[in-house]
Amino acid sequence: MNSRKKISGYVPGFYPKRGPTASVLAAQYIQEWEMRRIERSKKKPSPITLPPSICISRKVGIGVVQIADLAAKRLDGPLIDRQILEHIAETGDLSKKTISYFDKHYPGEINELAKLLTGEKSFIMSDYIRHLISAVYSLAETGPAIFVGRGCHLILPRDKVLAVRLIGSMSYRATRLADLMKIDEKDAKRQLLEFDKEQREFFRKLHGEKDAPADEFDIVINLDYFAKPQSIADVIVSAYRNKFSDQ
């Protein structure tokens, strides 16, 4: 049996204790967002101010969703990971709602933002990029939201984001994935190399970068030296509260 078949069930961001599926959570978050939008429409019109969010970037296999989940519980905010964002971006009815809202409240900005992200002056923007940007902005209004993956720290206004990068050695990641999926570490390492390649390709297409340089972030944490996910979540929450103490 080859390694791909052995761990074909693994999805980046997989967390056994997560609970509801991405589709269920996406529908829940969109419903909550729509309820807030309706309530706001009944009040006197006022400029929309995005609350601060946490955006976590990571190497695949690091265990980020468990850490983000712990932080989200401390802040009592939604945890929005890659699977949820992709579900919204790829589901027609949900993406239409966020696109319509974004175009109404941020007129003309989606094209400028997409050009800024890709570094291109003119291009044909894919529906996925357009839907992703609108979904991130719409869900950020439900904050304090915690976003995981998809380079959200480059999509939202930088002064409204605590940007966190979680890294770890290949040895750490392979050991963790092998234990999680009950496979050989060599097979886990092989699959992680493929995930890393796919991640670099995504960053190249959307952000014009091969990876996420350290100077893009407020904090970078190496998980090789932190044994407890809760301790990392505590650092993130503390940094968030410190950075946005006046907001």
Side-chain angles (χ1 to χ4, degrees):
M1 181 181 291
N2 63 40
S3 61
R4 183 176 296 276
K5 290 182 179 179
K6 286 182 180 179
I7 56 177
S8 60
Y10 180 75
V11 177
F14 172 71
Y15 176 39
K17 299 180 182 180
R18 181 65 189 276
T21 64
S23 60
V24 171
L25 286 170
Q28 175 186 321
Y29 292 156
I30 289 294
Q31 183 179 32
E32 292 174 357
W33 165 72
E34 282 207 280
M35 289 176 65
R36 294 190 187 196
R37 177 181 61 81
I38 292 171
E39 285 300 313
R40 187 163 51 236
S41 68
K42 297 177 182 178
K43 301 177 182 179
K44 183 179 179 180
S46 60
I48 294 175
T49 301
L50 287 177
S53 293
I54 296 174
C55 295
I56 304 177
S57 173
R58 89 297 191 209
K59 286 287 188 180
V60 175
I62 211 75
V64 66
V65 174
Q66 180 182 10
I67 295 167
D69 187 48
L70 291 168
K73 289 176 181 176
R74 288 276 305 277
L75 294 173
D76 194 26
L79 167 55
I80 303 161
D81 63 13
R82 166 185 170 174
Q83 295 176 53
I84 292 172
L85 286 172
E86 289 188 345
H87 180 79
I88 294 173
E90 295 170 359
T91 302
D93 290 342
L94 296 181
S95 60
K96 286 178 182 177
K97 291 177 181 178
T98 59
I99 282 286
S100 174
Y101 182 79
F102 189 99
D103 285 344
K104 179 180 179 181
H105 290 88
Y106 304 92
E109 289 191 19
I110 195 166
N111 286 317
E112 293 304 315
L113 181 56
K115 291 175 185 177
L116 179 64
L117 290 173
T118 61
E120 298 179 25
K121 294 183 178 180
S122 62
F123 69 105
I124 299 175
M125 181 171 33
S126 71
D127 286 341
Y128 177 81
I129 293 176
R130 182 177 175 82
H131 294 168
L132 176 64
I133 292 172
S134 65
V136 170
Y137 263 79
S138 298
L139 292 174
E141 291 187 14
T142 67
I146 298 182
F147 292 92
V148 174
R150 303 290 86 177
C152 291
H153 66 290
L154 298 174
I155 295 176
L156 292 168
R158 190 61 178 83
D159 64 343
K160 292 294 184 179
V161 167
L162 175 75
V164 180
R165 176 72 168 167
L166 301 183
I167 62 174
S169 65
M170 175 57 76
S171 175
Y172 172 88
R173 295 159 62 209
T175 298
R176 180 183 174 279
L177 184 59
D179 181 64
L180 181 66
M181 304 304 294
K182 309 303 179 187
I183 57 172
D184 186 88
E185 284 194 23
K186 289 184 179 179
D187 293 330
K189 182 177 180 179
R190 188 178 300 114
Q191 187 66 48
L192 285 170
L193 289 172
E194 291 185 17
F195 284 138
D196 287 349
K197 182 179 179 180
E198 292 170 3
Q199 194 176 56
R200 287 193 298 271
E201 182 63 15
F202 171 82
F203 265 80
R204 186 190 67 79
K205 287 183 177 180
L206 183 56
H207 303 300
E209 300 177 357
K210 292 183 179 179
D211 207 341
D215 59 8
E216 284 183 357
F217 301 92
D218 296 289
I219 35 175
V220 178
I221 303 175
N222 188 335
L223 270 70
D224 284 56
Y225 305 105
F226 286 82
K228 298 180 180 179
Q230 183 64 64
S231 65
I232 303 168
D234 290 343
V235 169
I236 294 172
V237 170
S238 177
Y240 173 84
R241 288 174 172 166
N242 182 272
K243 181 173 182 178
F244 300 111
S245 60
D246 60 342
Q247 296 187 37

